[in-house]
Amino acid sequence: MIESREMICILCPRGCRIKVTKAEDGTIKVENNYCPRGITYGETEVTNPVRMITSTVFITSSTHKLLPVVTNSPIPKGLIFDIMAEINKVHVKAPINRGDVVIKNVLNTGSDIVASKSIQN
Amino acid sequence: MKNNHYDIVIIGGGAGGMSAAIGASKGHAKKVLLLERGKELGGILLQCIHNGFGLHHFKEELSGPGYAEKLYDDLKQTNTIIKLESVVTHITKDKHITFTNPEGLQVVSADHIILTSGSRERTRHQIDLPGQRLTGIMTAGQAQLYLNIEGYMVGKKVFILGSGDIGLIMARRMTLEGATVLGVAELMPYSNGLNRNIVQCLEDYDIPLYLSHTITNVLGTERLEKIELKQVDENLEPIDGTEKYFEVDTLLLSVGLMPETNLIKKLGIQINPRTRSAFVDNKFETNIKGVYVCGNALHIHDLVDYVSEEGELAGEFASKNITNLPLMSSINIVAGQHVNYTVPSKLSLYEGDDLKQFNIKFRIRKPIEKAIVYFKQGDHLVRKLNKTFLIPSEMESINIPYKLLKVDSTEPLTVSVEEVKQ
Protein backbone atom coordinates (compact mmCIF):
# COMPACT_ATOMS: atom_id res chain seq x y z
CA MET A 1 0.00 0.00 0.00
CA ILE A 2 1.22 3.48 -0.80
CA GLU A 3 1.32 5.67 2.29
CA SER A 4 1.37 9.44 2.05
CA ARG A 5 1.74 11.96 4.88
CA GLU A 6 1.88 15.72 4.93
CA MET A 7 4.07 17.08 7.69
CA ILE A 8 5.95 20.15 8.76
CA CYS A 9 9.72 19.91 8.56
CA ILE A 10 11.04 21.10 11.93
CA LEU A 11 14.70 21.47 11.03
CA CYS A 12 14.55 25.23 10.70
CA PRO A 13 12.07 28.02 11.44
CA ARG A 14 10.98 28.10 7.80
CA GLY A 15 8.81 25.05 8.60
CA CYS A 16 8.25 23.66 5.08
CA ARG A 17 5.04 21.71 4.57
CA ILE A 18 6.51 18.58 3.03
CA LYS A 19 4.74 15.55 1.55
CA VAL A 20 6.29 12.17 2.29
CA THR A 21 5.18 9.16 0.26
CA LYS A 22 6.19 5.61 1.12
CA ALA A 23 5.78 3.19 -1.80
CA GLU A 24 5.06 -0.55 -1.52
CA ASP A 25 8.69 -1.45 -2.13
CA GLY A 26 9.72 0.77 0.79
CA THR A 27 11.13 3.66 -1.23
CA ILE A 28 10.39 7.05 0.22
CA LYS A 29 9.72 10.18 -1.80
CA VAL A 30 9.80 13.68 -0.26
CA GLU A 31 8.18 16.65 -2.01
CA ASN A 32 7.68 20.39 -1.40
CA ASN A 33 10.93 20.69 0.56
CA TYR A 34 12.86 23.96 0.13
CA CYS A 35 16.29 22.52 0.94
CA PRO A 36 17.93 19.05 0.95
CA ARG A 37 17.61 18.77 4.73
CA GLY A 38 13.87 18.32 4.20
CA ILE A 39 14.49 15.04 2.38
CA THR A 40 16.49 13.62 5.29
CA TYR A 41 13.86 14.86 7.74
CA GLY A 42 10.94 13.34 5.81
CA GLU A 43 12.74 10.00 5.43
CA THR A 44 13.72 9.64 9.09
CA GLU A 45 10.34 10.92 10.32
CA VAL A 46 8.52 7.98 8.72
CA THR A 47 11.18 5.39 9.62
CA ASN A 48 12.95 6.35 12.86
CA PRO A 49 11.98 9.86 14.06
CA VAL A 50 14.78 11.68 15.85
CA ARG A 51 15.03 14.89 17.90
CA MET A 52 17.66 17.10 19.44
CA ILE A 53 17.40 17.55 23.22
CA THR A 54 18.32 20.74 25.06
CA SER A 55 18.38 20.98 28.84
CA THR A 56 20.59 22.14 31.71
CA VAL A 57 22.93 20.53 34.25
CA PHE A 58 24.03 21.93 37.60
CA ILE A 59 27.43 23.64 37.61
CA THR A 60 29.64 24.27 40.66
CA SER A 61 32.59 26.64 41.26
CA SER A 62 30.69 29.24 39.25
CA THR A 63 28.52 32.31 39.67
CA HIS A 64 26.07 30.49 37.40
CA LYS A 65 23.83 27.76 38.77
CA LEU A 66 23.18 25.94 35.53
CA LEU A 67 25.01 25.04 32.35
CA PRO A 68 22.85 24.70 29.21
CA VAL A 69 23.51 21.47 27.30
CA VAL A 70 22.49 19.94 23.98
CA THR A 71 22.83 16.61 22.18
CA ASN A 72 25.51 16.93 19.48
CA SER A 73 23.39 14.86 17.07
CA PRO A 74 19.71 13.89 16.99
CA ILE A 75 18.61 10.99 19.19
CA PRO A 76 15.67 8.56 18.72
CA LYS A 77 12.43 10.22 19.80
CA GLY A 78 11.51 7.23 21.98
CA LEU A 79 14.59 7.77 24.17
CA ILE A 80 13.93 11.43 25.06
CA PHE A 81 12.79 10.81 28.65
CA ASP A 82 15.48 8.19 29.36
CA ILE A 83 18.13 10.65 28.19
CA MET A 84 16.59 13.43 30.29
CA ALA A 85 16.99 11.15 33.32
CA GLU A 86 20.69 10.72 32.47
CA ILE A 87 21.16 14.48 32.02
CA ASN A 88 19.57 15.16 35.40
CA LYS A 89 22.13 12.93 37.17
CA VAL A 90 25.08 15.07 36.10
CA HIS A 91 26.88 17.88 37.93
CA VAL A 92 29.79 19.68 36.28
CA LYS A 93 32.45 22.07 37.51
CA ALA A 94 33.54 25.38 35.94
CA PRO A 95 35.47 26.27 33.85
CA ILE A 96 33.82 24.66 30.88
CA ASN A 97 33.83 25.52 27.17
CA ARG A 98 31.06 25.37 24.64
CA GLY A 99 31.23 21.97 22.97
CA ASP A 100 32.87 20.22 25.95
CA VAL A 101 31.40 16.74 26.43
CA VAL A 102 29.25 16.38 29.54
CA ILE A 103 28.04 12.82 28.84
CA LYS A 104 29.87 10.68 26.28
CA ASN A 105 27.75 8.42 24.04
CA VAL A 106 24.59 8.83 26.10
CA LEU A 107 22.70 5.49 26.44
CA ASN A 108 24.78 4.12 23.55
CA THR A 109 23.02 6.35 21.05
CA GLY A 110 26.33 7.51 19.58
CA SER A 111 25.35 11.03 20.60
CA ASP A 112 27.15 13.11 23.25
CA ILE A 113 25.61 15.63 25.60
CA VAL A 114 27.72 18.78 25.21
CA ALA A 115 27.83 22.24 26.79
CA SER A 116 26.00 24.84 24.68
CA LYS A 117 27.67 27.75 26.49
CA SER A 118 31.12 28.46 27.94
CA ILE A 119 31.23 29.26 31.64
CA GLN A 120 34.64 30.37 32.91
CA ASN A 121 33.75 31.14 36.50
CA MET B 1 37.10 65.67 22.84
CA LYS B 2 35.71 65.22 26.32
CA ASN B 3 36.43 61.97 28.05
CA ASN B 4 32.78 61.06 28.49
CA HIS B 5 31.80 61.70 24.88
CA TYR B 6 31.29 58.78 22.48
CA ASP B 7 30.69 58.50 18.75
CA ILE B 8 27.98 55.92 19.41
CA VAL B 9 26.25 54.77 22.58
CA ILE B 10 24.25 51.55 22.29
CA ILE B 11 21.61 50.87 24.93
CA GLY B 12 20.94 47.18 25.47
CA GLY B 13 23.47 44.35 25.13
CA GLY B 14 21.32 41.57 23.69
CA ALA B 15 21.53 40.31 20.13
CA GLY B 16 20.57 43.71 18.68
CA GLY B 17 23.03 45.74 20.74
CA MET B 18 26.00 43.41 20.28
CA SER B 19 25.30 43.30 16.53
CA ALA B 20 25.02 47.10 16.41
CA ALA B 21 28.47 47.38 18.01
CA ILE B 22 29.86 44.89 15.49
CA GLY B 23 28.22 46.87 12.65
CA ALA B 24 29.64 50.12 14.04
CA SER B 25 33.15 48.71 13.72
CA LYS B 26 32.68 48.67 9.93
CA GLY B 27 32.44 52.48 9.81
CA HIS B 28 34.42 55.43 11.10
CA ALA B 29 33.32 55.42 14.75
CA LYS B 30 36.28 55.22 17.10
CA LYS B 31 34.58 55.32 20.48
CA VAL B 32 31.59 53.04 20.92
CA LEU B 33 29.97 52.36 24.30
CA LEU B 34 27.63 49.42 24.90
CA LEU B 35 25.45 49.63 28.02
CA GLU B 36 23.82 46.47 29.38
CA ARG B 37 21.72 46.24 32.54
CA GLY B 38 22.48 42.54 33.16
CA LYS B 39 25.62 40.95 34.58
CA GLU B 40 26.44 39.38 31.26
CA LEU B 41 25.78 40.25 27.61
CA GLY B 42 23.18 38.29 25.66
CA GLY B 43 19.82 39.52 26.92
CA ILE B 44 16.93 37.09 26.63
CA LEU B 45 19.06 34.66 24.59
CA LEU B 46 20.68 33.52 27.83
CA GLN B 47 17.49 31.86 29.08
CA CYS B 48 16.48 30.46 25.67
CA ILE B 49 18.46 27.23 26.00
CA HIS B 50 16.59 25.51 23.15
CA ASN B 51 18.11 24.98 19.73
CA GLY B 52 17.38 26.67 16.44
CA PHE B 53 19.17 30.01 16.60
CA GLY B 54 21.71 31.20 14.07
CA LEU B 55 20.91 29.17 10.95
CA HIS B 56 20.93 32.35 8.85
CA HIS B 57 23.49 34.45 10.68
CA PHE B 58 26.10 31.86 11.66
CA LYS B 59 25.06 29.07 9.26
CA GLU B 60 24.87 26.66 12.17
CA GLU B 61 22.21 25.68 14.65
CA LEU B 62 22.89 27.08 18.11
CA SER B 63 21.21 27.37 21.49
CA GLY B 64 20.37 30.90 22.66
CA PRO B 65 23.41 31.08 24.96
CA GLY B 66 25.54 29.65 22.13
CA TYR B 67 24.33 32.36 19.75
CA ALA B 68 25.06 35.06 22.34
CA GLU B 69 28.54 33.63 22.88
CA LYS B 70 29.36 33.63 19.17
CA LEU B 71 28.19 37.24 18.87
CA TYR B 72 30.32 38.12 21.89
CA ASP B 73 33.34 36.45 20.25
CA ASP B 74 32.82 38.75 17.24
CA LEU B 75 32.25 41.74 19.52
CA LYS B 76 35.58 41.11 21.28
CA GLN B 77 37.35 41.74 17.95
CA THR B 78 36.08 45.34 18.04
CA ASN B 79 37.15 48.23 20.31
CA THR B 80 33.71 48.54 21.90
CA ILE B 81 33.71 49.66 25.53
CA ILE B 82 31.28 47.46 27.45
CA LYS B 83 29.65 48.47 30.72
CA LEU B 84 27.57 45.81 32.47
CA GLU B 85 25.00 46.26 35.27
CA SER B 86 24.35 49.68 33.77
CA VAL B 87 20.75 50.85 33.77
CA VAL B 88 19.90 53.85 31.60
CA THR B 89 17.42 56.12 33.34
CA HIS B 90 17.30 59.15 31.11
CA ILE B 91 18.20 60.35 27.61
CA THR B 92 17.94 63.93 26.42
CA LYS B 93 17.31 65.17 22.87
CA ASP B 94 20.84 66.56 22.74
CA LYS B 95 22.00 62.99 23.41
CA HIS B 96 23.11 63.01 26.99
CA ILE B 97 22.62 59.60 28.56
CA THR B 98 22.25 59.10 32.31
CA PHE B 99 22.85 55.63 33.71
CA THR B 100 23.60 54.01 37.04
CA ASN B 101 25.96 51.13 37.65
CA PRO B 102 28.15 49.86 40.51
CA GLU B 103 30.48 52.85 39.92
CA GLY B 104 27.60 55.24 40.59
CA LEU B 105 25.49 57.66 38.59
CA GLN B 106 27.08 58.68 35.31
CA VAL B 107 26.30 60.95 32.38
CA VAL B 108 27.83 60.51 28.93
CA SER B 109 27.14 62.21 25.62
CA ALA B 110 27.06 60.79 22.10
CA ASP B 111 26.81 61.71 18.43
CA HIS B 112 24.57 58.72 17.83
CA ILE B 113 22.38 56.64 20.13
CA ILE B 114 21.15 53.18 19.15
CA LEU B 115 18.29 51.87 21.27
CA THR B 116 18.16 48.07 21.36
CA SER B 117 16.37 47.51 24.63
CA GLY B 118 14.40 44.47 23.46
CA SER B 119 10.83 43.66 24.40
CA ARG B 120 8.66 42.80 27.39
CA GLU B 121 6.06 40.08 27.77
CA ARG B 122 2.42 41.04 28.03
CA THR B 123 1.11 40.20 31.48
CA ARG B 124 -2.29 39.11 32.81
CA HIS B 125 -3.25 42.74 33.31
CA GLN B 126 -2.87 43.50 29.63
CA ILE B 127 -5.31 40.76 28.64
CA ASP B 128 -7.74 41.36 31.52
CA LEU B 129 -7.50 37.77 32.75
CA PRO B 130 -10.47 37.37 35.11
CA GLY B 131 -10.23 35.88 38.60
CA GLN B 132 -8.18 36.30 41.74
CA ARG B 133 -4.52 37.13 42.14
CA LEU B 134 -3.26 33.64 42.90
CA THR B 135 0.24 32.24 43.19
CA GLY B 136 1.15 30.12 40.19
CA ILE B 137 0.13 32.54 37.44
CA MET B 138 3.04 34.05 35.56
CA THR B 139 4.40 34.74 32.10
CA ALA B 140 6.07 31.93 30.18
CA GLY B 141 9.33 33.88 30.04
CA GLN B 142 9.32 34.28 33.81
CA ALA B 143 8.94 30.51 34.22
CA GLN B 144 11.73 30.09 31.67
CA LEU B 145 14.06 32.32 33.71
CA TYR B 146 13.27 30.40 36.91
CA LEU B 147 13.82 27.01 35.27
CA ASN B 148 16.75 27.63 32.92
CA ILE B 149 18.76 30.17 34.92
CA GLU B 150 17.77 29.56 38.56
CA GLY B 151 16.92 25.86 38.38
CA TYR B 152 13.42 26.07 39.93
CA MET B 153 10.37 24.30 38.55
CA VAL B 154 7.42 26.64 38.99
CA GLY B 155 4.77 23.91 39.05
CA LYS B 156 3.75 20.31 38.40
CA LYS B 157 0.43 20.58 36.57
CA VAL B 158 0.51 23.32 34.01
CA PHE B 159 -1.84 25.01 31.58
CA ILE B 160 -0.68 27.59 29.03
CA LEU B 161 -2.70 30.51 27.74
CA GLY B 162 -1.57 31.77 24.34
CA SER B 163 0.25 29.87 21.64
CA GLY B 164 3.22 32.21 21.30
CA ASP B 165 6.56 30.52 20.77
CA ILE B 166 7.78 30.98 24.35
CA GLY B 167 4.65 29.23 25.63
CA LEU B 168 5.16 26.32 23.23
CA ILE B 169 8.84 26.04 24.11
CA MET B 170 7.96 26.07 27.83
CA ALA B 171 5.28 23.40 27.32
CA ARG B 172 8.01 21.06 26.10
CA ARG B 173 10.62 22.21 28.60
CA MET B 174 8.37 21.66 31.62
CA THR B 175 7.23 18.30 30.24
CA LEU B 176 10.87 17.21 29.89
CA GLU B 177 11.52 18.19 33.49
CA GLY B 178 8.61 16.09 34.74
CA ALA B 179 5.60 18.41 34.77
CA THR B 180 2.29 17.53 33.15
CA VAL B 181 1.11 20.12 30.66
CA LEU B 182 -2.64 19.72 30.26
CA GLY B 183 -3.09 21.99 27.30
CA VAL B 184 -2.49 25.24 25.47
CA ALA B 185 -5.39 27.61 24.76
CA GLU B 186 -5.34 30.09 21.88
CA LEU B 187 -7.99 32.78 21.46
CA MET B 188 -7.56 32.97 17.70
CA PRO B 189 -8.61 30.16 15.31
CA TYR B 190 -4.93 29.71 14.36
CA SER B 191 -1.71 29.34 16.30
CA ASN B 192 0.52 32.29 17.08
CA GLY B 193 3.71 30.25 17.18
CA LEU B 194 5.93 28.84 14.48
CA ASN B 195 4.55 25.65 12.92
CA ARG B 196 7.69 23.74 13.79
CA ASN B 197 7.09 24.50 17.46
CA ILE B 198 3.52 23.17 17.30
CA VAL B 199 5.00 19.90 15.98
CA GLN B 200 8.06 19.50 18.18
CA CYS B 201 6.73 21.04 21.40
CA LEU B 202 3.05 19.99 21.46
CA GLU B 203 2.37 17.12 19.05
CA ASP B 204 5.52 15.22 20.10
CA TYR B 205 4.23 15.13 23.69
CA ASP B 206 0.49 14.80 22.92
CA ILE B 207 -0.27 18.19 24.46
CA PRO B 208 -3.65 19.40 23.15
CA LEU B 209 -3.94 22.81 21.49
CA TYR B 210 -7.36 24.41 22.02
CA LEU B 211 -7.83 26.92 19.19
CA SER B 212 -10.62 29.52 19.58
CA HIS B 213 -10.57 29.04 23.36
CA THR B 214 -9.75 31.29 26.27
CA ILE B 215 -9.51 31.13 30.04
CA THR B 216 -12.55 32.69 31.65
CA ASN B 217 -11.73 32.13 35.33
CA VAL B 218 -8.91 31.14 37.63
CA LEU B 219 -9.88 29.45 40.87
CA GLY B 220 -8.07 28.65 44.12
CA THR B 221 -7.47 29.95 47.63
CA GLU B 222 -3.84 31.07 47.69
CA ARG B 223 -2.34 28.93 44.97
CA LEU B 224 -4.03 28.32 41.64
CA GLU B 225 -6.10 25.12 41.80
CA LYS B 226 -8.33 25.15 38.76
CA ILE B 227 -8.94 27.02 35.53
CA GLU B 228 -12.10 27.45 33.50
CA LEU B 229 -11.74 27.25 29.73
CA LYS B 230 -14.39 28.34 27.23
CA GLN B 231 -14.67 28.28 23.49
CA VAL B 232 -15.05 31.68 21.83
CA ASP B 233 -17.28 32.73 18.93
CA GLU B 234 -16.21 34.59 15.78
CA ASN B 235 -16.25 37.86 17.75
CA LEU B 236 -13.86 36.24 20.26
CA GLU B 237 -16.61 36.28 22.95
CA PRO B 238 -16.74 33.23 25.26
CA ILE B 239 -19.66 30.90 24.55
CA ASP B 240 -21.67 29.87 27.62
CA GLY B 241 -22.13 26.15 28.00
CA THR B 242 -18.71 25.28 26.52
CA GLU B 243 -16.93 25.34 29.92
CA LYS B 244 -14.15 22.85 30.58
CA TYR B 245 -12.27 22.70 33.90
CA PHE B 246 -8.66 21.70 34.42
CA GLU B 247 -7.03 21.09 37.79
CA VAL B 248 -3.67 22.81 37.55
CA ASP B 249 -1.25 24.53 39.93
CA THR B 250 0.35 26.73 37.29
CA LEU B 251 -0.86 28.93 34.47
CA LEU B 252 1.73 30.29 32.08
CA LEU B 253 0.87 33.24 29.86
CA SER B 254 2.31 33.44 26.38
CA VAL B 255 0.15 36.23 25.07
CA GLY B 256 2.59 38.30 23.09
CA LEU B 257 5.57 40.59 23.38
CA MET B 258 5.67 44.37 23.22
CA PRO B 259 8.66 46.51 22.30
CA GLU B 260 10.23 48.07 25.39
CA THR B 261 9.53 51.75 24.74
CA ASN B 262 10.01 53.51 28.09
CA LEU B 263 13.07 55.45 26.95
CA ILE B 264 11.69 55.89 23.44
CA LYS B 265 8.49 57.50 24.73
CA LYS B 266 10.26 59.62 27.36
CA LEU B 267 12.45 61.01 24.62
CA GLY B 268 9.38 62.05 22.60
CA ILE B 269 10.26 59.92 19.58
CA GLN B 270 7.48 59.72 16.98
CA ILE B 271 5.58 56.43 17.34
CA ASN B 272 4.18 54.20 14.60
CA PRO B 273 0.75 53.25 16.00
CA ARG B 274 0.92 49.89 14.23
CA THR B 275 4.13 48.67 15.90
CA ARG B 276 3.62 50.83 19.02
CA SER B 277 7.29 51.65 18.82
CA ALA B 278 9.43 54.16 16.96
CA PHE B 279 8.62 55.39 13.47
CA VAL B 280 11.93 54.70 11.71
CA ASP B 281 13.26 54.99 8.19
CA ASN B 282 15.33 52.41 6.30
CA LYS B 283 18.39 53.61 8.22
CA PHE B 284 16.59 52.77 11.50
CA GLU B 285 16.75 56.48 12.34
CA THR B 286 13.86 58.04 14.28
CA ASN B 287 12.53 61.58 13.85
CA ILE B 288 15.31 62.65 16.23
CA LYS B 289 18.49 62.96 14.19
CA GLY B 290 21.14 60.48 15.31
CA VAL B 291 18.77 58.34 17.40
CA TYR B 292 18.16 54.85 16.05
CA VAL B 293 15.93 52.00 17.21
CA CYS B 294 16.26 48.37 16.10
CA GLY B 295 15.71 44.77 17.15
CA ASN B 296 12.75 43.79 19.33
CA ALA B 297 12.64 47.33 20.73
CA LEU B 298 11.45 48.33 17.25
CA HIS B 299 9.14 45.42 16.41
CA ILE B 300 8.84 41.81 17.52
CA HIS B 301 10.94 39.37 15.51
CA ASP B 302 10.45 35.64 15.27
CA LEU B 303 14.12 35.02 14.45
CA VAL B 304 17.09 36.44 16.33
CA ASP B 305 19.05 36.28 13.08
CA TYR B 306 16.95 39.19 11.76
CA VAL B 307 17.61 41.13 14.97
CA SER B 308 21.33 40.77 14.32
CA GLU B 309 20.89 41.86 10.72
CA GLU B 310 19.04 45.03 11.78
CA GLY B 311 21.51 45.78 14.55
CA GLU B 312 24.52 45.45 12.26
CA LEU B 313 22.93 47.75 9.70
CA ALA B 314 21.93 50.38 12.27
CA GLY B 315 25.46 50.30 13.73
CA GLU B 316 27.03 50.65 10.32
CA PHE B 317 24.72 53.51 9.23
CA ALA B 318 25.45 55.42 12.45
CA SER B 319 29.16 54.78 12.19
CA LYS B 320 29.31 55.97 8.59
CA ASN B 321 27.22 59.07 9.36
CA ILE B 322 24.99 58.14 6.42
CA THR B 323 22.08 60.27 7.58
CA ASN B 324 24.23 63.42 7.47
CA LEU B 325 24.57 63.06 3.68
CA PRO B 326 22.30 65.31 1.58
CA LEU B 327 18.76 63.88 1.54
CA MET B 328 17.53 63.17 -1.99
CA SER B 329 14.14 61.72 -1.41
CA SER B 330 11.83 60.60 1.37
CA ILE B 331 9.00 58.14 0.77
CA ASN B 332 6.55 56.98 3.42
CA ILE B 333 5.63 53.30 3.56
CA VAL B 334 2.01 52.44 4.24
CA ALA B 335 0.59 49.11 5.43
CA GLY B 336 -2.27 48.39 3.01
CA GLN B 337 -4.84 45.61 2.74
CA HIS B 338 -4.26 42.62 5.08
CA VAL B 339 -0.91 44.08 6.20
CA ASN B 340 -0.62 44.71 9.93
CA TYR B 341 2.55 46.77 9.85
CA THR B 342 5.73 47.43 7.93
CA VAL B 343 9.26 48.20 9.09
CA PRO B 344 10.66 50.63 8.12
CA SER B 345 7.86 53.20 8.08
CA LYS B 346 9.74 55.44 5.65
CA LEU B 347 12.49 55.30 3.03
CA SER B 348 15.17 57.99 3.15
CA LEU B 349 17.47 58.12 0.16
CA TYR B 350 20.74 59.97 0.58
CA GLU B 351 23.18 61.20 -2.01
CA GLY B 352 26.21 58.90 -2.03
CA ASP B 353 24.30 56.27 -0.09
CA ASP B 354 25.51 53.47 -2.34
CA LEU B 355 23.09 50.76 -1.26
CA LYS B 356 21.57 48.81 -4.13
CA GLN B 357 18.39 47.70 -2.39
CA PHE B 358 16.20 48.26 0.64
CA ASN B 359 14.46 45.76 2.86
CA ILE B 360 10.85 45.79 4.01
CA LYS B 361 9.62 43.54 6.77
CA PHE B 362 5.92 43.08 7.34
CA ARG B 363 3.35 40.95 9.07
CA ILE B 364 -0.09 40.13 7.80
CA ARG B 365 -3.32 40.30 9.79
CA LYS B 366 -4.76 36.83 9.11
CA PRO B 367 -3.54 33.54 7.64
CA ILE B 368 -3.69 33.50 3.83
CA GLU B 369 -2.97 30.29 1.91
CA LYS B 370 -2.27 31.82 -1.48
CA ALA B 371 -1.47 35.47 -1.85
CA ILE B 372 -0.05 38.15 -4.11
CA VAL B 373 2.00 40.84 -2.39
CA TYR B 374 1.99 44.24 -4.11
CA PHE B 375 4.41 47.10 -3.56
CA LYS B 376 2.92 50.17 -5.25
CA GLN B 377 3.53 53.90 -5.42
CA GLY B 378 0.15 55.18 -6.53
CA ASP B 379 -0.43 53.42 -9.86
CA HIS B 380 3.22 52.54 -10.30
CA LEU B 381 3.84 48.86 -9.56
CA VAL B 382 7.21 48.58 -7.84
CA ARG B 383 7.19 44.88 -7.19
CA LYS B 384 4.75 41.98 -7.16
CA LEU B 385 5.36 38.61 -5.51
CA ASN B 386 3.44 35.37 -5.20
CA LYS B 387 3.46 33.87 -1.71
CA THR B 388 1.95 30.80 -0.13
CA PHE B 389 0.98 30.07 3.49
CA LEU B 390 1.34 33.56 4.90
CA ILE B 391 0.59 33.60 8.62
CA PRO B 392 0.67 36.46 11.18
CA SER B 393 3.24 34.72 13.36
CA GLU B 394 5.80 34.59 10.57
CA MET B 395 7.40 37.85 9.52
CA GLU B 396 7.98 38.40 5.80
CA SER B 397 11.22 40.05 4.71
CA ILE B 398 11.52 41.32 1.14
CA ASN B 399 14.40 43.08 -0.61
CA ILE B 400 13.61 45.58 -3.33
CA PRO B 401 16.16 47.19 -5.66
CA TYR B 402 16.13 51.00 -5.40
CA LYS B 403 16.00 51.32 -9.17
CA LEU B 404 12.41 50.00 -9.20
CA LEU B 405 11.26 53.03 -7.17
CA LYS B 406 10.01 56.31 -8.53
CA VAL B 407 12.35 58.34 -6.34
CA ASP B 408 11.02 61.75 -7.42
CA SER B 409 7.46 60.80 -6.54
CA THR B 410 5.82 62.01 -3.33
CA GLU B 411 3.38 59.09 -3.41
CA PRO B 412 3.81 56.71 -0.48
CA LEU B 413 4.85 53.12 -1.07
CA THR B 414 1.93 50.87 -0.15
CA VAL B 415 2.41 47.23 0.76
CA SER B 416 -0.79 45.24 0.29
CA VAL B 417 -1.73 41.60 0.08
CA GLU B 418 -4.40 40.16 -2.17
CA GLU B 419 -5.93 36.84 -1.26
CA VAL B 420 -6.15 34.43 -4.19
CA LYS B 421 -9.20 32.21 -3.77
CA GLN B 422 -8.48 28.61 -4.72
Side-chain angles (χ1 to χ4, degrees), chain A residues 7-15 17 37 41 45 50-56 58 64-71 77 80-81 84-85 87-88 96-98 115-120, chain B residues 40 46 49-52 55-56 60-63 65-67 69-70 73 146-152 172-173 175-178 194-197 199-200 203-205 302-303 389 391 394:
Chain A
M7 60 178 80
I8 286 164
C9 173
I10 61 168
L11 292 188
C12 88
R14 186 183 168 94
R17 286 152 199 265
R37 298 174 77 203
Y41 177 79
E45 198 61 14
V50 291
R51 295 289 183 266
M52 297 288 278
I53 299 185
T54 56
S55 189
T56 55
F58 284 101
H64 293 76
K65 290 179 182 154
L66 300 167
L67 170 75
V69 295
V70 60
T71 48
K77 201 169 143 182
I80 289 177
F81 285 97
M84 276 302 295
I87 291 173
N88 282 340
I96 202 150
N97 287 311
R98 193 164 65 86
S116 76
K117 172 187 170 107
S118 305
I119 293 181
Q120 299 311 328
Chain B
E40 154 178 35
L46 300 175
I49 62 156
H50 51 280
N51 238 17
L55 279 166
H56 293 272
E60 69 174 294
E61 191 166 15
L62 298 158
S63 69
Y67 188 98
E69 189 170 323
K70 287 205 65 140
D73 288 342
Y146 280 130
L147 183 52
N148 294 346
I149 304 289
E150 300 296 334
Y152 299 129
R172 174 178 64 182
R173 183 80 188 104
T175 305
L176 286 179
E177 293 291 359
L194 298 174
N195 279 327
R196 70 189 296 243
N197 286 337
V199 175
Q200 63 183 352
E203 290 174 10
D204 271 6
Y205 301 95
D302 26 64
L303 296 185
F389 298 111
I391 52 174
E394 294 189 13

Side-chain angles (χ1 to χ4, degrees), chain B residues 19-20 23 282-284 308-318 355:
Chain B
S19 300
N282 52 324
K283 305 292 184 268
F284 302 99
S308 281
E309 189 181 278
E310 278 183 14
E312 275 195 26
L313 283 172
E316 193 176 338
F317 293 142
L355 292 175

Side-chain angles (χ1 to χ4, degrees), chain B residues 250-294:
Chain B
T250 303
L251 173 63
L252 301 184
L253 305 175
S254 176
V255 289
L257 301 171
M258 296 184 309
E260 166 57 59
T261 51
N262 276 346
L263 290 167
I264 293 169
K265 284 183 178 155
K266 266 165 78 178
L267 193 50
I269 288 173
Q270 185 189 347
I271 298 292
N272 178 339
R274 294 289 185 92
T275 54
R276 293 185 208 165
S277 182
F279 184 101
V280 297
D281 67 5
N282 52 324
K283 305 292 184 268
F284 302 99
E285 194 176 40
T286 65
N287 62 316
I288 300 176
K289 196 93 195 145
V291 177
Y292 307 76
V293 181
C294 60

Side-chain angles (χ1 to χ4, degrees), chain A residues 48-108:
Chain A
N48 172 33
V50 291
R51 295 289 183 266
M52 297 288 278
I53 299 185
T54 56
S55 189
T56 55
V57 298
F58 284 101
I59 186 163
T60 54
S61 306
S62 169
T63 52
H64 293 76
K65 290 179 182 154
L66 300 167
L67 170 75
V69 295
V70 60
T71 48
N72 65 354
S73 61
I75 52 94
K77 201 169 143 182
L79 285 177
I80 289 177
F81 285 97
D82 297 326
I83 292 175
M84 276 302 295
E86 294 301 307
I87 291 173
N88 282 340
K89 288 178 193 164
V90 177
H91 286 235
V92 296
K93 201 175 164 192
I96 202 150
N97 287 311
R98 193 164 65 86
D100 283 359
V101 175
V102 172
I103 307 174
K104 184 86 190 150
N105 187 18
V106 63
L107 296 181
N108 290 316

